[in-house]
Amino acid sequence: MKTIVITVSKDGTSQVETKGFTGNSCQEASRLVERALGKRTSERLTEDYFQVDTKHENHNQEET
């Protein structure tokens, strides 16, 4: 299941974490939330970011 978790600390800082996404789809999904929260101060890409969406890749291979 794809989810976006937003954590706001007592000092007002926030953290956006995506789960269940592969590749850069996590960045696309969280873009509006991040813009609403303000300027990004850091970004940590997880192992899922570097995974290939096999459904999408298989579809492209069948078309060629």
Side-chain angles (χ1 to χ4, degrees), residues 17-30:
E17 180 181 1
T18 57
K19 297 180 180 183
F21 293 87
T22 56
N24 69 346
S25 65
C26 57
Q27 291 173 323
E28 294 171 15
S30 64

Side-chain angles (χ1 to χ4, degrees), residues 13-42:
T13 59
S14 58
Q15 177 180 344
V16 177
E17 180 181 1
T18 57
K19 297 180 180 183
F21 293 87
T22 56
N24 69 346
S25 65
C26 57
Q27 291 173 323
E28 294 171 15
S30 64
R31 182 176 295 132
L32 291 175
V33 172
E34 290 180 15
R35 285 184 184 163
L37 291 172
K39 183 179 176 184
R40 179 188 309 164
T41 57
S42 67

